[in-house]
Amino acid sequence: MPMTVIVTRDVPQRTRGFLASVMPEPAPGVYTSGEVSKGVRERIWTVMQDWYGATHEGSIVMIWRDDKAPGGLGVATLGAPPRQLTDLDGVLVSVW
Protein backbone atom coordinates (compact mmCIF):
# COMPACT_ATOMS: atom_id res chain seq x y z
CA MET A 1 0.00 0.00 0.00
CA PRO A 2 1.57 3.29 -1.07
CA MET A 3 1.94 6.39 1.05
CA THR A 4 -0.74 9.05 0.68
CA VAL A 5 -0.35 12.74 1.56
CA ILE A 6 -3.18 15.29 1.71
CA VAL A 7 -2.46 19.01 2.05
CA THR A 8 -5.28 21.41 2.90
CA ARG A 9 -5.50 25.20 2.87
CA ASP A 10 -8.32 27.27 4.35
CA VAL A 11 -10.76 24.35 4.55
CA PRO A 12 -13.69 24.10 6.99
CA GLN A 13 -13.01 22.54 10.40
CA ARG A 14 -15.29 19.65 9.39
CA THR A 15 -12.86 18.68 6.65
CA ARG A 16 -9.85 18.85 8.97
CA GLY A 17 -11.68 16.81 11.60
CA PHE A 18 -12.61 14.11 9.12
CA LEU A 19 -9.09 13.84 7.75
CA ALA A 20 -7.61 13.74 11.27
CA SER A 21 -9.94 10.84 12.06
CA VAL A 22 -8.51 8.71 9.24
CA MET A 23 -4.88 9.92 8.96
CA PRO A 24 -2.26 11.42 11.30
CA GLU A 25 -1.71 15.21 10.99
CA PRO A 26 2.08 15.70 11.42
CA ALA A 27 1.84 19.43 10.60
CA PRO A 28 -1.14 21.80 10.44
CA GLY A 29 -3.20 20.98 7.35
CA VAL A 30 -0.95 18.08 6.28
CA TYR A 31 -2.26 14.52 6.59
CA THR A 32 -0.27 11.42 5.71
CA SER A 33 -0.40 7.67 6.00
CA GLY A 34 1.87 4.96 4.69
CA GLU A 35 -0.86 2.34 4.70
CA VAL A 36 -3.91 3.68 2.87
CA SER A 37 -5.27 1.24 0.31
CA LYS A 38 -6.53 2.42 -3.06
CA GLY A 39 -10.13 1.79 -1.99
CA VAL A 40 -9.80 3.81 1.22
CA ARG A 41 -7.99 6.61 -0.63
CA GLU A 42 -10.81 6.77 -3.20
CA ARG A 43 -13.48 6.87 -0.46
CA ILE A 44 -11.64 9.68 1.34
CA TRP A 45 -11.41 11.62 -1.92
CA THR A 46 -15.11 11.07 -2.64
CA VAL A 47 -15.97 12.62 0.74
CA MET A 48 -13.64 15.55 0.00
CA GLN A 49 -15.25 16.10 -3.42
CA ASP A 50 -18.78 16.00 -1.99
CA TRP A 51 -17.98 18.42 0.83
CA TYR A 52 -15.97 20.75 -1.38
CA GLY A 53 -18.76 20.81 -3.95
CA ALA A 54 -21.16 22.06 -1.28
CA THR A 55 -18.94 24.90 -0.01
CA HIS A 56 -16.10 25.61 -2.48
CA GLU A 57 -13.95 26.67 0.49
CA GLY A 58 -10.15 26.41 0.48
CA SER A 59 -8.12 23.92 -1.48
CA ILE A 60 -7.11 20.28 -1.11
CA VAL A 61 -4.28 18.38 -2.81
CA MET A 62 -3.87 14.61 -2.51
CA ILE A 63 -0.65 12.90 -3.62
CA TRP A 64 0.00 9.16 -3.78
CA ARG A 65 2.26 6.70 -5.53
CA ASP A 66 0.98 5.85 -9.00
CA ASP A 67 3.38 3.93 -11.22
CA LYS A 68 1.39 4.89 -14.34
CA ALA A 69 1.55 8.66 -13.72
CA PRO A 70 4.46 10.99 -14.57
CA GLY A 71 7.18 10.62 -11.96
CA GLY A 72 5.23 7.84 -10.28
CA LEU A 73 3.01 10.32 -8.42
CA GLY A 74 -0.75 10.64 -8.70
CA VAL A 75 -2.19 14.06 -7.91
CA ALA A 76 -5.80 15.10 -7.31
CA THR A 77 -6.81 18.69 -6.51
CA LEU A 78 -9.84 20.61 -5.39
CA GLY A 79 -9.79 24.39 -5.41
CA ALA A 80 -7.48 26.84 -7.06
CA PRO A 81 -5.09 26.53 -8.66
CA PRO A 82 -5.50 22.98 -9.97
CA ARG A 83 -2.18 21.28 -10.55
CA GLN A 84 -0.88 18.35 -12.52
CA LEU A 85 2.57 16.76 -12.74
CA THR A 86 4.41 16.60 -16.04
CA ASP A 87 7.67 14.91 -16.91
CA LEU A 88 9.85 17.50 -18.67
CA ASP A 89 12.91 15.72 -20.06
CA GLY A 90 13.23 13.54 -16.95
CA VAL A 91 12.43 16.32 -14.47
CA LEU A 92 9.06 16.21 -12.72
CA VAL A 93 7.42 19.67 -12.72
CA SER A 94 4.09 20.96 -11.49
CA VAL A 95 1.95 22.84 -13.99
CA TRP A 96 -1.43 24.52 -13.80
Side-chain angles (χ1 to χ4, degrees):
M1 287 181 246
M3 176 170 275
T4 300
V5 177
I6 299 176
V7 180
T8 64
R9 185 182 61 187
D10 299 326
V11 295
Q13 187 60 38
R14 172 185 180 188
T15 301
R16 294 189 66 192
F18 170 73
L19 289 172
S21 75
V22 296
M23 304 171 86
E25 184 180 12
V30 177
Y31 305 86
T32 185
S33 180
E35 300 193 15
V36 174
S37 69
K38 179 180 179 183
V40 170
R41 182 181 72 240
E42 289 173 350
R43 284 191 293 275
I44 291 170
W45 193 247
T46 297
V47 170
M48 297 295 95
Q49 287 177 309
D50 291 346
W51 290 0
Y52 183 81
T55 64
H56 289 76
E57 291 183 53
S59 65
I60 304 168
V61 177
M62 181 167 36
I63 304 163
W64 68 96
R65 182 177 172 154
D66 182 351
D67 294 331
K68 297 175 184 168
L73 292 175
V75 177
T77 62
L78 293 169
R83 300 203 186 317
Q84 72 181 53
L85 298 178
T86 301
D87 188 329
L88 184 62
D89 294 329
V91 176
L92 192 61
V93 296
S94 178
V95 295
W96 56 97

